[in-house]
Amino acid sequence: MREIVLDTETTGLSHAEGDRLVEIGCVELINHIPSGQTFHVYINPERSMPEEAFRVHGLSEEFLRDKPVFKAVADEFRDFVDGARLIIHNAPFDMGFLNAELGWAGLPTLSNDVIDTVMLARKKHPGARVSLDALCKHYGIDNSRRTLHGALLDSEILAEVYLELIGGKQVSLALMAEAEGDGSEGLATRVAALPRPVPLPPRIRPEEATAHEAFIAKMGESAIWAQYAERAAAE
């Protein structure tokens, strides 16, 4: 399962009134596990930056002046999200801007499946606040770096929130096991290639290990440790 957690920053609240995209950030998930692949770009909106928008994301006209226009990055963006389910917080807002920009560039609009984490959170926590910051607080997710809105950072945080909303880390472990056993070699290979934690150094002294082996030997082949050792050797 390939999903893209996505966020955007804009010059304002309404593309119908001439507001434009200024940043897109995407994080790829494979079976709800971050793959390490991201897409991130700043965009020259070809218009002024309202003060209220600047206070939200800190992207000034001067900073964006030498950045590519949307049409120049549209194909790369479409290729990155192609075929994936999109995970977006308040999806109608971001999808509205993305499809408006694609339309202005003369390109097809997005037809991806979309999960709106705002709706997901309202269903799971009726009556509670469902802003990204509120959900981070609820699930104990560190968002201390979020002093300003930023599309890539917000996508990374949203990926953690999304995982909690769908059931937490146990869901990821189950899906990971399923990928390894359902014949999906391409997916299983990608998941298996993800970084794994470095094993802890052994804490058993050599003399303790020797004594344990002697103890197991006295118990014969019926000992569960002996059976485990045989299976491990066979694998």
Side-chain angles (χ1 to χ4, degrees):
M1 185 194 306
R2 182 171 183 264
E3 297 171 305
I4 301 296
V5 185
L6 182 153
D7 187 53
T8 66
E9 298 299 337
T10 68
T11 63
L13 300 178
S14 175
H15 55 82
E17 296 181 8
D19 285 313
R20 305 289 301 272
L21 289 176
V22 294
E23 186 183 8
I24 303 173
C26 302
V27 174
E28 182 187 60
L29 305 180
I30 301 296
N31 275 12
H32 305 315
I33 306 291
S35 70
Q37 298 298 312
T38 62
F39 176 87
H40 181 229
V41 64
Y42 293 110
I43 299 167
N44 181 347
E46 302 180 278
R47 55 150 291 168
S48 61
M49 178 64 68
E51 178 63 27
E52 55 270 27
F54 174 74
R55 288 198 299 267
V56 170
H57 49 59
L59 302 177
S60 66
E61 292 177 44
E62 182 180 5
F63 173 79
L64 296 169
R65 189 170 293 126
D66 64 349
K67 302 303 182 286
V69 298
F70 178 83
K71 190 171 184 177
V73 301
D75 286 337
E76 185 181 359
F77 166 70
R78 285 175 55 83
D79 288 345
F80 188 82
V81 303
D82 184 45
R85 176 187 295 160
L86 304 182
I87 312 300
I88 308 174
H89 204 63
N90 191 20
F93 178 85
D94 299 85
M95 290 297 290
F97 269 92
L98 288 165
N99 283 330
E101 292 280 3
L102 287 165
W104 295 330
L107 296 170
T109 56
L110 298 174
S111 58
N112 305 59
D113 291 337
V114 178
I115 290 180
D116 186 349
T117 49
V118 167
M119 301 304 294
L120 200 60
R122 285 176 178 166
K123 184 176 181 179
K124 187 167 184 178
H125 306 293
R129 295 177 59 240
V130 295
S131 69
L132 193 54
D133 285 336
L135 290 169
C136 284
K137 183 176 181 180
H138 177 82
Y139 288 116
I141 294 170
D142 181 13
N143 65 342
S144 57
R145 296 176 295 160
R146 196 175 186 245
T147 54
L148 290 173
H149 287 224
L152 184 58
L153 175 59
D154 284 0
S155 293
E156 292 171 347
I157 293 172
L158 180 58
E160 294 187 62
V161 169
Y162 171 59
L163 178 58
E164 296 296 338
L165 285 171
I166 61 172
K169 296 178 181 178
Q170 293 303 317
V171 171
S172 296
L173 293 174
L175 287 171
M176 192 170 173
E178 181 182 339
E180 292 173 351
D182 67 0
S184 306
E185 294 182 2
L187 180 58
T189 299
R190 294 183 69 182
V191 172
L194 296 176
R196 296 293 190 269
V198 177
L200 291 172
R203 292 178 288 178
I204 300 176
R205 298 193 302 273
E207 58 270 26
E208 293 174 327
T210 301
H212 180 70
E213 290 171 4
F215 174 72
I216 296 304
K218 292 179 181 179
M219 299 177 66
E221 295 182 356
S222 62
I224 190 171
W225 294 280
Q227 296 173 26
Y228 176 79
E230 289 176 4
R231 288 199 301 269
E235 293 173 357

